[in-house]
Amino acid sequence: MLRFAPSPTGDMHIGNLRVALFNFIMSKKLNEELLIRIEDTDKERNIEGKDKEILEILNLFSIDYARVVYQSGNLKYHQKLAMQLMSQKKAFACFCSDEKLEELREDAKKEGKPFRYDGFCASLSDQAVLEVNAPFTVRIKKPDENIKFTDLLKGDFNYSPFDVDSFIILRHDKTPTYNYACAVDDMLYDISMIIRGEDHVSNTPKQIHIRNSLGYDKEIKHVHLPIILNAATGKKMSKRDNESSVKWLIEQGFLPVAIANYLVLLGNKTPSEIFTLEEAIEWFEISNISTSSAKFDIDKLRFINRKHLSMLDDLRLSKLLGFADEQIGKLGKLFLEEASTLKEIKEKLDLIFTKKQSCEGFEEETNKIMECLKNASFIEDFEELKKYITEQTSLKGKNLFKPLRYVLTGRENGPNLSDIYPFIKNYLGEIVK
C-alpha cells in the first residue's frame, strides 16, 4: 500500500495536498491501494473536526482511497512491540526527569553540540529498574551501525548512530511518539512506498532503525518532496500565508481541478501545462520532479484556474455560480478577461442582479432607461433594444450607453453590452426591478 498520513492539528496546506496528490497518482500507477492514516496520537494538539475536514478536502479533489485508519487505534500494537524491544534489550525504561534532560540540553548548547541522550538509564540493571518507583519513558537503543537508505529523488543518505540517537518511543503515559507510531504502522499496513515532504528526511533513519530493531526487513521506497516556497518572498510557505491553506483557496473560488493541476505542475516536467488528474496519471514519473524547492505563484494559479473555468461545461459553471442556466455559464465566461476565480465572476454577476441606485452624472437618464425597460416587452436582439429605448426616451450616444451599461451590469465598464445582452435578456425584468 501507499499512505497519506496527515495530522488533525490544523488546516490542510498545499504541501500536504501535494503529498496526497502524488501518493494518489502513484497508487494508481503501481496498482496499489492508498491508505489514509490520521496521525492523532498527539492528543494535546489535535483539533476536533479537523480529521473530517481533511477527508472532505480529499473527496473534493477526487482522491479516492481504500480506507481510513486512526493511528490511536493501533495503541495496543505500539505498546506490545515496545515491550518486545524491551525484553530483547533493544529498548529501555528511562527515568530521567524533564528537568534533567533540559539540563543536558543546556550543557550541549553551551558546548555548541547537538543534544544527544547520555545513555544513563540504558545501563540500569533489571533489579534497579524494578526498585525505581517513578514514571518512565521508553527509549530505543541507538543503532550499532550506520543507517543507510536511498531516496528515489535525492539519492543516497547515510546516518551515523550519533545522528539517530537513543530517542523516546513511548511517552510517560505510554502513548507512542511520532516516529515510533509511524514506523510500526508502516509495518502493520505493509507500506511499499513513502512519499512525503523533505522536512521528514531526518525522521527516516529513525523509522528504519525501529523497523530493523523489530526484525522487519522489507525495503520501503522513499521519496522526499522539496518544500514549497512563496514566490513573492522566496521563503518557505508559512501557515500564516493565506495562499498556503487549501480551504482558503477553495473559498476564493479556485477549482479543485486547477489547484491539483498547479501542484502537480510545480517543479515537474509535464507534457502540457493544463491537464486533469486523470491525464497526469498516464504520464506522471516521480523521477521528473525537481530536487530544488518549488515556488508557489498565486498569479500562475490564477492563470491555470482561468483556463479550467473556460473549459467547464456552461451548465456546470452556472451551478457553481449559484444558478442552473447555461446562459449564465456563458455569461460567466465573458468575464474571464478580467476575473480568474468563481468568487470574482460571482461578484460581477451580483452587480448585475443587485438593486441599482443611479449612474453618477446621468441620474435622469438612468431613471428614464429603468422606467422604459420596466414597461418593455421581451426584446430578443440588443440592436432592437437600443432602438426601442431611443424611440421611448430620445437618448443617444453617451447619454444612452453609459447609463444603459450601468442599468444592465451595475458597472461603468466591462465586456460589450452586445455580448452580454443575449445571456441576460431572460432576466431583464429581474435586473431592472
Side-chain angles (χ1 to χ4, degrees):
M1 300 183 90
L2 281 84
R3 48 72 157 187
F4 173 56
S7 299
T9 55
D11 286 357
M12 187 187 281
H13 57 76
I14 54 171
N16 296 139
L17 180 59
R18 189 172 182 234
V19 167
L21 288 166
F22 284 7
N23 272 291
F24 169 69
I25 291 170
M26 287 307 297
S27 74
K28 294 297 182 188
K29 288 191 77 71
L30 297 170
N31 197 26
E32 293 191 18
E33 291 186 335
L34 176 62
L35 174 82
I36 307 301
R37 188 172 75 218
I38 306 294
E39 301 200 328
D40 62 340
T41 54
D42 192 347
K43 294 186 183 73
E44 288 182 8
R45 294 183 61 227
N46 291 341
I47 299 172
E48 191 175 346
K50 283 295 170 188
D51 56 334
K52 291 180 177 60
E53 195 176 280
I54 289 166
L55 297 176
E56 284 167 5
I57 288 173
L58 295 180
N59 291 333
L60 196 59
F61 281 81
S62 301
I63 295 173
D64 60 344
Y65 42 84
R67 58 183 162 143
V68 179
V69 296
Y70 286 76
Q71 196 163 57
S72 56
N74 291 330
L75 179 62
K76 62 182 179 183
Y77 297 111
H78 302 146
Q79 293 176 340
K80 187 176 179 180
L81 291 171
M83 287 167 63
Q84 179 184 312
L85 290 171
M86 291 177 80
S87 68
Q88 294 171 347
K89 304 297 182 187
K90 293 177 180 178
F92 58 92
C94 176
F95 298 95
C96 297
S97 65
D98 291 342
E99 291 76 18
K100 175 63 179 173
L101 293 172
E102 190 54 42
E103 192 181 304
L104 293 173
R105 277 192 191 87
E106 287 301 316
D107 290 345
K109 195 174 178 182
K110 285 173 190 171
E111 294 174 22
K113 295 177 182 177
F115 166 70
R116 293 293 182 269
Y117 180 65
D118 63 2
F120 178 79
C121 292
S123 57
L124 292 177
S125 67
D126 290 347
Q127 187 173 346
V129 169
L130 282 171
E131 287 172 357
V132 178
N133 186 20
F136 64 90
T137 59
V138 177
R139 288 181 182 270
I140 193 166
K141 285 187 176 177
K142 66 183 176 185
D144 296 325
E145 299 174 347
N146 284 16
I147 301 289
K148 300 176 183 178
F149 67 93
T150 299
D151 182 284
L152 297 182
L153 271 185
K154 298 174 177 294
D156 297 333
F157 285 85
N158 190 346
Y159 287 84
S160 70
F162 177 81
D163 295 323
V164 178
D165 196 22
S166 292
F167 56 92
I168 294 172
I169 60 172
L170 290 186
R171 304 181 183 97
H172 286 109
D173 63 359
K174 305 307 172 280
T175 58
T177 55
Y178 169 76
N179 277 312
Y180 178 61
C182 201
V184 169
D185 287 355
D186 287 337
M187 288 170 47
L188 291 176
Y189 299 107
D190 193 22
I191 300 302
S192 54
M193 177 184 277
I194 295 172
I195 304 173
R196 55 188 174 189
E198 68 181 4
D199 49 334
H200 285 283
V201 167
S202 60
N203 291 328
T204 299
K206 294 182 177 183
Q207 293 171 16
I208 291 173
H209 175 46
I210 290 163
R211 289 192 290 270
N212 288 347
S213 300
L214 287 165
Y216 188 78
D217 56 7
K218 173 177 173 171
E219 184 186 356
I220 298 177
K221 292 175 181 175
H222 289 87
V223 178
H224 293 92
L225 300 172
I227 60 169
I228 298 176
L229 303 177
N230 185 322
T233 63
K235 295 178 181 175
K236 183 180 176 181
M237 290 290 279
S238 161
K239 287 183 179 177
R240 288 185 292 275
D241 296 329
N242 279 335
E243 307 97 274
S244 73
S245 166
V246 177
K247 195 174 166 186
W248 183 85
L249 291 173
I250 296 294
E251 286 168 353
Q252 291 303 302
F254 289 97
L255 298 172
V257 65
I259 299 170
N261 182 160
Y262 185 49
L263 291 179
V264 174
L265 181 70
L266 267 184
N268 195 1
K269 291 177 191 167
T270 63
S272 59
E273 193 171 51
I274 307 299
F275 50 82
T276 64
L277 211 45
E278 290 76 17
E279 290 165 344
I281 291 167
E282 296 298 316
W283 45 253
F284 184 87
E285 294 290 343
I286 277 286
S287 57
N288 285 334
I289 306 294
S290 170
T291 55
S292 303
S293 298
K295 291 186 177 178
F296 183 89
D297 183 349
I298 192 75
D299 289 330
K300 182 68 174 179
L301 176 57
R302 286 182 181 281
F303 167 79
I304 290 171
N305 199 58
R306 194 180 289 124
K307 290 286 186 185
H308 280 282
L309 283 168
S310 70
M311 294 188 295
L312 266 184
D313 173 77
D314 293 330
L315 184 58
R316 171 76 180 135
L317 177 56
S318 84
K319 286 178 178 176
L320 292 173
L321 293 167
F323 293 81
D325 179 358
E326 63 180 38
Q327 297 302 311
I328 295 294
K330 289 183 169 75
L331 175 61
K333 289 180 181 179
L334 276 185
F335 293 115
L336 288 176
E337 287 292 319
E338 50 189 310
S340 55
T341 67
L342 286 171
K343 186 179 179 183
E344 289 169 356
I345 295 173
K346 187 82 167 61
E347 285 167 358
K348 311 289 184 197
L349 294 181
D350 286 347
L351 286 173
I352 292 173
F353 290 101
T354 50
K355 184 174 171 62
K356 317 291 191 306
Q357 299 305 318
S358 197
C359 182
E360 194 175 337
F362 297 88
E363 289 81 0
E364 189 181 333
E365 291 86 348
T366 303
N367 289 335
K368 280 185 179 181
I369 291 170
M370 289 182 84
E371 285 305 314
C372 175
L373 291 177
K374 280 178 187 175
N375 299 318
S377 56
F378 182 77
I379 298 173
E380 182 72 34
D381 182 72
F382 182 66
E383 290 301 319
E384 286 180 34
L385 181 77
K386 282 194 302 181
K387 186 180 174 185
Y388 173 78
I389 296 171
T390 302
E391 287 173 353
Q392 297 295 315
T393 64
S394 303
L395 295 173
K396 293 180 181 177
K398 188 166 71 170
N399 288 341
L400 168 64
F401 290 109
K402 200 154 185 179
L404 179 58
R405 172 177 288 282
Y406 176 76
V407 168
L408 294 182
T409 69
R411 302 166 67 209
E412 294 186 14
N413 49 45
N416 291 330
L417 285 180
S418 56
D419 293 331
I420 290 175
Y421 184 71
F423 307 131
I424 63 170
K425 62 190 179 188
N426 294 338
Y427 297 91
L428 204 54
E430 191 179 331
I431 289 168
V432 297
K433 259 184 191 174

